[in-house]
Amino acid sequence: MLAEKGIPIAIATSSRTISVQKKRLRHEHIFQPMTTIVTGDDPLVKKGKPAPDIYLEAARRLGIKPEDCLVFEDSTSGCQSGKAAGCAVIAVPDSRMEKSIFDEISDQVLDSLNEFDPAAWGL
């Protein structure tokens, strides 16, 4: 949906490169529209989430300012990382998690990515 509008998309994951490569083998359709992928073991990511490093690096590779990035996260440390980088953050927590813990560390909390409304974010 966003890639079709010409919006660059990145993955910024704490997972190691080898894990991402394995996932990609079975889910190439998910990875295909990604402009860049930054992993937790990337040498340019000095500190992991909740530090902002991974999102700052993803924004740098996309060639855009962090404040122009919209992060989708499912973890509290990921939300904290995105906010620390200066990004807007949408939390999409696992349904087994207490959603209220995301209220103060994200700009919006969704039950599912299907609820995302790009127009509400000017996209």
Side-chain angles (χ1 to χ4, degrees), residues 3 9 17-18 23 41-42 44 56 78 82 88 98 106-107 119:
I9 303 172
T17 302
I18 189 72
K23 290 176 188 173
D41 60 350
D42 188 297
L44 295 176
L56 294 172
E98 176 56 48
S106 65
D107 299 291

Side-chain angles (χ1 to χ4, degrees), residues 2 8-13 49 52 54-56 58-59 62 64-92 105-110 113 116 121 123:
L2 297 177
I9 303 172
I11 293 178
T13 178
K49 296 174 184 179
I54 200 162
Y55 285 112
L56 294 172
L62 291 172
I64 57 178
K65 296 181 278 188
E67 55 267 26
D68 293 333
C69 293
L70 180 58
V71 167
F72 293 86
E73 260 296 344
D74 64 348
S75 70
T76 55
S77 63
C79 288
Q80 292 165 334
S81 177
K83 293 304 283 181
C87 305
V89 175
I90 296 177
V92 190
I105 57 173
S106 65
D107 299 291
Q108 184 178 17
V109 181
L110 303 176
L113 283 174
F116 175 63
W121 290 89
L123 303 173

